[in-house]
Amino acid sequence: QVRLVESGGGSVQSGGSLRLSCAAFGYAYSIYHMGWFRQAPGKEREGVAFIASDGTTTYADSVKGRFTISRDNRKRTLYLQMNSLAPEDTAMYYCAADESWQLLIGSTPNYWGQGTQVTVSS
C-alpha cells in the first residue's frame, strides 16, 4: 500500500519562504517519479514541479526560479523549497507519485497525499 504524507504548509507573508515535505511509505520509493501539484479555490489542479527517479526536474513556468524540488531516497522523502512566495501561490499542495512519468506529468498519477495548505498574505 502506497502512502504519501505531506507536511510543512502554513501561512506566510508575501516574499517569504516555506519548505514542504512528503514522506513516502509502502513502496520502492527510489524507482518512482514524484511531483507536487496545487489547487486553489475555484481553480483547476495544476502541476507545480516534478522529479524523475533519476533526479531530472521539471517546473511550471509560474514557479521557475522560485521553487526547487528535490528528493532524498535514503529518507524516502520529497521536498519543495518555495521562495519569494506571492499571494497567487496560495493553494492546497499535494504530493504525488507514479512509476509512469507520463501519468505523473499528465496529472493522473496513481498515488496522492492528503494535501497541505499554503497561504500567502500580501
Side-chain angles (χ1 to χ4, degrees):
Q1 183 74 16
V2 175
R3 190 162 67 97
L4 303 172
V5 180
E6 302 98 331
S7 61
S11 297
V12 65
Q13 290 191 327
S14 184
S17 298
L18 283 173
R19 187 174 83 154
L20 305 183
S21 299
C22 171
F25 304 90
Y27 66 101
Y29 173 81
S30 63
I31 69 172
Y32 274 65
H33 310 300
M34 305 287 295
W36 290 97
F37 293 80
R38 67 185 180 186
Q39 187 166 22
K43 294 187 177 181
E44 292 189 357
R45 184 173 56 203
E46 62 171 341
V48 174
F50 304 97
I51 185 164
S53 57
D54 66 359
T56 303
T57 58
T58 300
Y59 296 92
D61 288 343
S62 58
V63 306
K64 278 181 183 177
R66 300 188 300 123
F67 290 12
T68 302
I69 189 171
S70 61
R71 62 191 296 165
D72 185 330
N73 288 344
R74 286 187 302 174
K75 294 183 178 180
R76 302 171 61 88
T77 301
L78 176 73
Y79 302 100
L80 185 68
Q81 177 66 44
M82 305 185 294
N83 298 328
S84 302
L85 283 162
E88 52 265 36
D89 295 315
T90 295
M92 184 71 79
Y93 283 71
Y94 298 90
C95 168
D98 205 285
E99 290 182 274
S100 166
W101 181 252
Q102 293 304 316
L103 286 180
L104 182 65
I105 64 173
S107 300
T108 56
N110 280 299
Y111 308 109
W112 294 90
Q114 82 288 351
T116 186
Q117 178 67 38
V118 171
T119 302
V120 185
S121 58
S122 57

